[in-house]
Amino acid sequence: MNDKNWSKLWLDYDKKLSNEQSEDSFSVAFDGFSEDNRVIKSAKNELTEVFSKLFKGGYTTEIENAGKSVCIKKSDEIKNEGYRISADDSKLTIEASDENGVLYGAFHVIKSLLRGTGFANIKADEVPSNPLRMMNHWDNMDGSIERGYSGRSFFFENDNFYINDRTRDYARMMASIGINGIVINNVNVKNAASYLITERYFDKVSELSELFADYGIKLYLSLNFASPIELGGLEVCDPLDENVISWWDKKFKEVYENVPFLGGFLVKADSEGRPGPFTYGRNQADGANMLAKAIAPYNGIIIWRCFVYNCTQDWRDYKTDRARAGYDYFKGLDGEFLDNVILQIKNGPMDFQIREPVSPLLGGLTKTNQMLEVQIAQEYTGHQIDLCYLMPMFKEVLDFHTHCKSEGDTVADVVSGRALNNKNAGMAAVINTGDDANWTGNYLAAANLYGFGRLAYNTELSSEDIAREWIQLSFDLSKENEEKLVSMLLRSREIYEKYTSPLGIGWMVTPHEHYGPSVDGYEYSRWGTYHRADHLGLGVDRTDKGTGYAQQYYPENADMYNDSDTCPEELLLFFHHIAYDRKLKDGRTVIQYIYDSHFEGEAQAEELYENWKSMEKEIPSEVFALVCHRFEMQIANAKEWRDQVNSYFYRKSGIPDEKGRDIF
């Protein structure tokens, strides 16, 4: 990894402020906060760096003589991690009840200035929507990243840690978008990563936790449930075994003596080969609660992933349904998890597809802490090659009415803790970063990195608002080109969906790699990811006459999904096996929709590229060239999807395209 060559992304103060200096001096004063607090120091450092570039008069401790002054004021009226900003021509006040609120307020001021807002016009009154706003890294300690599309890890290499200036810049970026928790290692914990909870790595884990603490961020680790066997020499990791319980009690005591700033642990158990309580005939609450009891004395949190399913499914079995698994395993345990356990639930019941229904567990559980897990690493949405801005998808999930209550029942209400009155709740994203100079491989993929943090902090923001913020912070565009790039981002998810998998069917993707089409790639596999196409139609029957998955929702949604006439068409094939000649609401048949959408999607991908090329004069040459190359790869990918999917279903159905286009 090149330790000096990386972008500052939306915190590139030099680029944005180089020609905007005035003759004023400035001061930063504190009322009720200690300047010695580590987070307050970080806030002051950020403000001082920006103001030093804006005001030639420099920093002064003589507040009355400063041309511009900032007052950091404690106010117990403001909710945790929130802030209020008011300003006039000479004085700006940031009010908060805690240090994180001060830091977020400072970054709000800075980003407002970077976007061209005048000093006197900066105003805000913000409270975070979610208590926990987390990034999940899938970094391995050998330096590789599972599902990473932006280079290698900037945390690890050859089973050692990197902690350097880039690490600090990363923490700064995360704080600037409101992130307050980071898991640094892959949920599939193996090899050296199992030893992160031992003296082999305590010094480095502690050092990184201290660095994160400077920016109001708690460090979390992914945990190997089989640690009592692999590290402790025990014969079992049965969560009800007294020796196992005693081992974890001693281990967490040792961990927190050495890493006192640790927030807790993320656990993947009983899934895709990971060990867990099922091995011993125990349930998921048994496993999570055993760890939660051991970590409770240190105010630690156990985040337990609900991605649990049988990955040895027989494709001949039409009743077993992977989509059902999460609800089947966890619904019956509602209310049995301890208060320092949070169940982390993927947005859909399958696995981060471009379109799937909201998981029925979200809101289906009413006595259990829940948090939403999404993926900004584009595993099934283009590998950060294809442009796919994901905030519209996340907004659809957050705005979905679960019907767990008569009102205040959306996913946003549930995962914020508002609906169920729980404080341990929030949102997590599988992150899309690596050690590429631009952090996200494709410069435009940084919109998802920025966007998730902003949306997790304020779920009321629109996809357009977030896109515009990111663009204004990242580029210097004319109003015309700003609007063009906003439109490109907002249309990109729909375009990707058009040329890949139709009407909610999902998958049809190259096995293992998950980039590019392979219509039958998983059709006869053990993973439960089927489209069930035959010569008459396609789709999976998940109604009460099929797998019964639709019945896992509250009646309002269950009834809607169960009937093919009321099921939203974008999810039709997820819930129903539909004949090719079935007419959709716009009069087209299903097979014609498949043909049309794939031709349209590929053509629109080419339009995105043309839009980008038209902005060349206003884009830095290196950025322009790299993104051009990504669009060229996207178009090739879109053509391959178009031709393979259309040819496959033409050969299955024998029904020609009404428009006579080339189908092979």
Side-chain angles (χ1 to χ4, degrees):
M1 182 175 71
N2 187 329
D3 289 342
K4 298 297 181 186
N5 182 25
W6 63 85
S7 165
K8 301 298 176 68
L9 296 180
W10 54 86
L11 296 184
D12 193 339
Y13 301 157
D14 289 329
K15 181 182 76 174
K16 299 294 289 186
L17 299 174
S18 57
N19 298 313
E20 302 178 25
Q21 291 185 329
S22 78
E23 299 297 329
D24 279 330
S25 60
F26 71 93
S27 68
V28 181
F30 298 88
D31 180 359
F33 286 103
S34 169
E35 291 188 57
D36 294 329
N37 177 275
R38 64 198 314 152
V39 180
I40 297 297
K41 283 182 180 178
S42 295
K44 182 179 179 181
N45 289 343
E46 297 292 335
L47 290 168
T48 301
E49 182 179 353
V50 168
F51 285 2
S52 295
K53 297 178 190 306
L54 278 174
F55 305 124
K56 290 181 180 178
Y59 178 75
T60 178
T61 56
E62 298 177 5
I63 299 171
E64 63 276 7
N65 295 326
K68 305 289 185 186
S69 65
V70 177
C71 178
I72 309 294
K73 184 178 180 181
K74 190 171 182 64
S75 173
D76 293 333
E77 297 176 359
I78 299 173
K79 290 185 178 179
N80 190 44
E81 296 190 304
Y83 57 88
R84 183 185 302 136
I85 301 171
S86 56
D88 57 31
D89 288 338
S90 60
K91 183 179 179 180
L92 184 147
T93 301
I94 301 173
E95 296 178 84
S97 63
D98 59 77
E99 292 79 6
N100 276 24
V102 171
L103 183 61
Y104 302 147
F107 276 119
H108 185 110
V109 169
I110 290 166
K111 289 190 287 183
S112 297
L113 292 168
L114 296 177
R115 295 173 67 198
T117 305
F119 185 91
N121 295 322
I122 301 175
K123 293 178 174 58
D125 194 350
E126 297 281 346
V127 174
S129 301
N130 295 292
L132 185 55
R133 306 170 300 278
M134 175 177 279
M135 294 294 189
N136 289 180
H137 284 261
W138 284 0
D139 294 31
N140 300 311
M141 293 199 68
D142 63 3
S144 64
I145 301 175
E146 184 173 341
R147 306 306 175 189
Y149 312 110
S150 312
R152 292 177 66 78
S153 175
F154 50 78
F155 289 130
F156 308 118
E157 185 65 44
N158 297 324
D159 296 342
N160 292 314
F161 274 76
Y162 282 120
I163 301 177
N164 52 26
D165 289 343
R166 181 166 186 159
T167 321
R168 187 166 293 276
D169 275 347
Y170 168 74
R172 292 174 57 235
M173 286 191 293
M174 293 300 98
S176 77
I177 55 175
I179 296 300
N180 63 4
I182 295 172
V183 182
I184 60 170
N185 63 306
N186 193 351
V187 290
N188 294 317
V189 184
K190 55 189 177 182
N191 303 325
S194 295
Y195 291 84
L196 286 170
I197 57 172
T198 71
E199 61 182 6
R200 177 174 170 183
Y201 291 115
F202 280 153
D203 287 350
K204 287 298 185 181
V205 174
S206 181
E207 182 183 352
L208 185 56
S209 73
E210 296 255 2
L211 188 156
F212 281 179
D214 287 345
Y215 296 92
I217 297 168
K218 286 278 191 182
L219 171 67
Y220 291 76
L221 298 174
S222 291
L223 191 69
N224 186 343
F225 191 81
S227 292
I229 298 172
E230 296 188 19
L231 303 181
L234 300 184
E235 293 184 359
V236 298
C237 55
D238 180 352
L240 301 190
D241 183 277
E242 290 300 325
N243 291 326
V244 172
I245 293 169
S246 176
W247 189 88
W248 280 114
D249 287 340
K250 293 174 183 175
K251 175 52 66 177
F252 284 151
K253 182 176 187 294
E254 179 190 13
V255 167
Y256 276 91
E257 284 174 350
N258 287 277
V259 193
F261 286 100
L262 193 68
F265 294 93
L266 175 66
V267 185
K268 176 180 179 179
D270 289 317
S271 184
E272 300 182 332
R274 303 311 301 158
F278 282 171
T279 303
Y280 306 97
R282 315 304 185 190
N283 63 41
Q284 299 294 293
D286 292 331
N289 289 342
M290 179 268 295
L291 295 173
K293 287 177 185 175
I295 206 172
Y298 317 103
N299 297 315
I301 290 173
I302 296 298
I303 302 170
W304 192 269
R305 292 180 90 227
C306 292
F307 189 52
V308 178
Y309 68 97
N310 176 9
C311 60
T312 59
Q313 187 171 332
D314 188 334
W315 58 270
R316 302 166 187 83
D317 177 1
Y318 275 67
K319 287 295 183 180
T320 300
D321 185 0
R322 170 171 165 176
R324 289 187 55 109
Y327 190 95
D328 284 345
Y329 286 138
F330 287 93
K331 174 60 177 175
L333 301 175
D334 194 15
E336 294 188 18
F337 292 90
L338 295 178
D339 195 48
N340 62 329
V341 174
I342 309 176
L343 297 188
Q344 184 166 294
I345 304 167
K346 288 189 179 186
N347 59 276
M350 296 296 275
D351 194 10
F352 301 132
Q353 298 301 291
I354 189 64
R355 177 78 65 176
E356 55 183 297
V358 170
S359 169
L361 264 184
L362 292 163
L365 300 172
T366 60
K367 304 170 187 175
T368 304
N369 297 325
Q370 301 161 62
M371 64 188 298
L372 172 66
E373 178 184 340
V374 297
Q375 188 185 54
I376 53 178
Q378 292 173 232
E379 179 180 355
Y380 294 101
T381 55
H383 282 210
Q384 288 148 243
I385 296 170
D386 300 37
L387 181 63
C388 192
Y389 177 57
L390 294 167
M391 295 318 108
M393 178 197 292
F394 300 164
K395 285 289 291 184
E396 287 175 8
V397 173
L398 290 166
D399 293 343
F400 178 78
H401 285 280
T402 67
H403 296 286
C404 66
K405 298 171 61 180
S406 58
E407 56 184 26
D409 67 322
T410 66
V411 170
D413 292 320
V414 170
V415 301
S416 67
R418 295 189 300 267
L420 308 176
N421 298 314
N422 47 356
K423 64 178 182 178
N424 287 326
M427 291 174 62
V430 179
I431 197 169
N432 61 349
T433 53
D435 74 351
D436 283 358
N438 63 14
W439 300 87
T440 57
N442 186 339
Y443 280 92
L444 299 184
N448 287 327
L449 179 62
Y450 182 87
F452 170 77
R454 292 291 289 123
L455 190 59
Y457 189 88
N458 183 354
T459 56
E460 297 303 307
L461 290 173
S462 72
S463 300
E464 180 177 345
D465 288 341
I466 294 170
R468 194 175 303 280
E469 270 187 35
W470 174 76
I471 289 167
Q472 290 175 351
L473 290 167
S474 303
F475 299 96
D476 291 304
L477 299 179
S478 63
K479 192 64 179 174
E480 177 186 358
N481 281 335
E482 178 186 311
E483 295 299 327
K484 191 179 295 183
L485 188 49
V486 168
S487 175
M488 288 171 62
L489 290 174
L490 293 178
R491 291 184 291 123
S492 60
R493 183 259 185 128
E494 178 185 5
I495 291 170
Y496 186 86
E497 182 178 21
K498 281 185 176 182
Y499 65 73
T500 54
S501 50
L503 302 173
I505 193 61
W507 308 101
M508 305 197 307
V509 67
T510 303
H512 310 300
E513 185 179 352
H514 298 166
Y515 187 76
S518 178
V519 182
D520 278 342
Y522 282 114
E523 191 60 18
Y524 304 100
S525 76
R526 62 194 179 98
W527 297 100
T529 51
Y530 314 125
H531 55 68
R532 302 295 192 191
D534 55 30
H535 68 294
L536 298 175
L538 79 156
V540 181
D541 185 353
R542 292 189 164 102
T543 70
D544 55 357
K545 296 179 178 61
T547 73
Y549 165 79
Q551 310 313 119
Q552 292 184 333
Y553 294 88
Y554 290 100
E556 295 88 343
N557 289 324
D559 292 346
M560 173 182 67
Y561 290 139
N562 202 62
D563 185 339
S564 64
D565 290 329
T566 58
C567 180
E569 286 189 339
E570 65 270 19
L571 291 170
L572 186 61
L573 301 181
F574 188 95
F575 284 98
H576 299 272
H577 189 84
I578 299 294
Y580 293 118
D581 59 1
R582 159 83 175 254
K583 285 193 175 182
L584 301 175
K585 291 175 183 175
D586 65 4
R588 287 185 292 178
T589 61
V590 167
I591 191 66
Q592 194 59 42
Y593 174 88
I594 291 173
Y595 298 152
D596 287 350
S597 63
H598 283 79
F599 279 109
E600 289 168 9
E602 189 281 330
Q604 289 169 350
E606 296 201 37
E607 289 174 13
L608 289 176
Y609 188 19
E610 293 304 314
N611 290 158
W612 177 254
K613 288 192 289 188
S614 73
M615 295 187 278
E616 180 175 7
K617 291 181 180 178
E618 296 183 16
I619 304 290
S621 58
E622 179 186 351
V623 176
F624 180 78
L626 187 146
V627 175
C628 280
H629 180 55
R630 298 281 167 149
F631 274 126
E632 289 165 0
M633 289 192 287
Q634 176 172 354
I635 290 168
N637 185 41
K639 287 179 177 178
E640 202 64 28
W641 271 101
R642 177 198 65 193
D643 291 343
Q644 287 202 30
V645 172
N646 282 346
S647 295
Y648 178 93
F649 286 106
Y650 171 58
R651 294 175 183 183
K652 277 281 187 183
S653 68
I655 301 172
D657 172 30
E658 293 175 356
K659 299 177 182 177
R661 293 164 293 197
D662 285 339
I663 296 180
F664 301 95

